Amino acid sequence: MRRGQISIDFLFAVTLVMLTVLNLVYIATNETTQAENFDTLSKLKVFSIDIRDSVTKVYSVGSGFKIKKELPLKLEPGEWVTVKLDNTTNRVVITAYIGGKNYYTAQKLPVPVGENSEVILTGNHTTFWIKAEYNEGGSMLDVTLSP
Amino acid sequence: MSRSRRRAQTSIEILFILAIVLTGVVVVVKPYLTSSGSMVTDVYVKNAAEDACSYLNNGVLVNDNLHEPLNGILSASNYSYRGFKFRGLTTTQNDSVVSVSVYITYQGSERSWKNSGIPNPDTYLGNQIKEFMLRYISARPNVSRDGDTLSFGGKKISIRVIVRGVEG
């Protein structure tokens, strides 16, 4: 065989290797999408549990106490997360629009919610306060969210 | 022997060798593909079932077409952890149909779903998880879906999902 000429078995080998590599790339892309999706899910879950615990803590410390919270996600323009304390179901409700998908989760609160309150978090506004105030009219402690 | 004749001779030898190599390849590749095909089926089904379980345990709802069958379960379980676990699968194979049975358990009994207003919780869970798995697997390449069966590599796959609650 002349030098510089590619032998046919080498070509076969290259084809087989290419097939394997293509398959690997395909599987990897697939798994990455799945993993990224699950990453957002888990972060939202952790965030909801964190909010639940913080609300409980603020409630137990009492009137005048407040905690600053920050969203553990980076939001692109157009994406948003809302956090809501719902007094009818007594839950923390989180809704989000991230990467073209809508997310929703809820956590039961062990302390009573006096009134509904809600914050909307966006890319350049990711912090909010959870504060407790004594409500004279209802004679109970109100935990509210405020920007 | 002239120069051109010798060259022709070499190429015929190479053709013989190639023929032997290619026959070998065909002999080896065919059973490999068959076994790899049934293994891929198992892997697809297992992945789908495990993804369903982790999605349900995570308790965060995603509003898309793929997860839609599971979202009813999520709101029924109040977005909380229910300990869904993939326990295993068994496969039986006829000539053309592969039947896969998937076993999934959750913590607590069937009675724990009473408040959610679902009449037959275990059957409902099974059907919804099955629908999710069908959607999940049919999104893979070379898999097509026809009603409740999937076709993959010339074989039909039917899935059965059995969900039970376990105490403790």
Side-chain angles (χ1 to χ4, degrees):
Chain A
M1 189 191 298
R2 258 177 267 147
R3 215 200 273 188
Q5 196 181 354
I6 303 175
S7 68
I8 199 151
D9 43 351
F10 179 69
L11 275 179
F12 273 129
V14 168
T15 321
L16 287 178
V17 169
M18 290 288 269
L19 275 179
T20 318
V21 168
L22 270 176
N23 271 317
L24 279 180
V25 168
Y26 178 78
I27 293 169
T29 345
N30 227 338
E31 293 298 311
T32 322
T33 338
Q34 206 68 31
E36 272 170 6
N37 195 12
F38 202 73
D39 179 54
T40 320
L41 285 181
S42 316
K43 277 181 179 158
L44 283 173
K45 179 71 175 183
V46 170
F47 182 57
S48 72
I49 292 173
D50 184 23
I51 298 300
R52 183 196 66 192
D53 291 352
S54 303
V55 167
T56 316
K57 192 177 197 172
V58 170
Y59 184 86
S60 30
V61 174
S63 188
F65 187 70
K66 56 180 185 176
I67 300 183
K68 192 177 194 179
K69 280 283 152 198
E70 190 170 3
L71 183 72
L73 288 166
K74 268 213 154 62
L75 296 179
E76 301 297 323
E79 299 178 340
W80 48 260
V81 175
T82 64
V83 187
K84 188 181 175 192
L85 296 184
D86 188 343
N87 71 354
T88 46
T89 52
N90 217 51
R91 296 194 297 187
V92 183
V93 177
I94 293 180
T95 42
Y97 179 76
I98 297 164
K101 279 180 184 165
N102 280 303
Y103 296 86
Y104 177 94
T105 191
Q107 282 289 325
K108 267 212 172 109
L109 277 169
V111 295
V113 180
E115 56 174 311
N116 284 330
S117 59
E118 188 177 353
V119 283
I120 299 167
L121 307 171
T122 51
N124 46 22
H125 180 252
T126 54
T127 57
F128 63 100
W129 292 91
I130 303 172
K131 51 186 176 187
E133 265 169 314
Y134 190 71
N135 179 350
E136 293 288 344
S139 71
M140 66 181 293
L141 198 61
D142 276 351
V143 183
T144 51
L145 307 175
S146 66
Chain B
M1 208 183 279
S2 76
R3 198 179 149 78
S4 62
R5 188 88 192 269
R6 228 186 304 144
R7 230 194 269 156
Q9 195 183 354
T10 350
S11 50
I12 235 160
E13 281 162 5
I14 286 176
L15 271 183
F16 276 132
I17 293 168
L18 268 182
I20 292 167
V21 168
L22 288 179
T23 324
V25 165
V26 169
V27 166
V28 170
V29 161
K30 218 187 163 200
Y32 170 76
L33 279 182
T34 325
S35 72
S36 136
S38 54
M39 216 167 78
V40 165
T41 317
D42 284 1
V43 170
Y44 279 179
V45 173
K46 181 171 174 283
N47 276 347
E50 279 179 342
D51 264 36
C53 290
S54 48
Y55 178 75
L56 288 173
N57 288 337
N58 205 329
V60 180
L61 185 150
V62 184
N63 209 349
D64 63 8
N65 187 40
L66 171 67
H67 294 97
E68 187 248 309
L70 296 180
N71 289 347
I73 306 176
L74 268 188
S75 53
S77 68
N78 218 352
Y79 307 96
S80 56
Y81 177 79
R82 287 305 303 258
F84 280 95
K85 206 177 257 176
F86 169 72
R87 293 286 176 174
L89 58 85
T90 52
T91 317
T92 47
Q93 194 162 352
N94 293 347
D95 340 318
S96 59
V97 183
V98 184
S99 318
V100 189
S101 297
V102 181
Y103 302 95
I104 291 172
T105 60
Y106 60 89
Q107 280 170 18
S109 65
E110 208 173 358
R111 251 175 301 119
S112 57
W113 298 92
K114 272 281 140 60
N115 291 336
S116 55
I118 297 168
N120 293 310
D122 285 354
T123 326
Y124 173 78
L125 291 172
N127 287 340
Q128 297 305 103
I129 294 175
K130 180 184 166 185
E131 175 62 26
F132 168 79
M133 287 171 63
L134 288 174
R135 289 186 189 189
Y136 186 98
I137 299 170
S138 59
R140 296 302 165 106
N142 306 325
V143 184
S144 64
R145 184 185 168 179
D146 177 29
D148 265 9
T149 52
L150 297 163
S151 301
F152 172 68
K155 273 188 294 187
K156 282 200 174 356
I157 304 160
S158 77
I159 298 175
R160 198 160 65 106
V161 181
I162 299 147
V163 185
R164 290 278 173 277
V166 285
E167 301 286 350

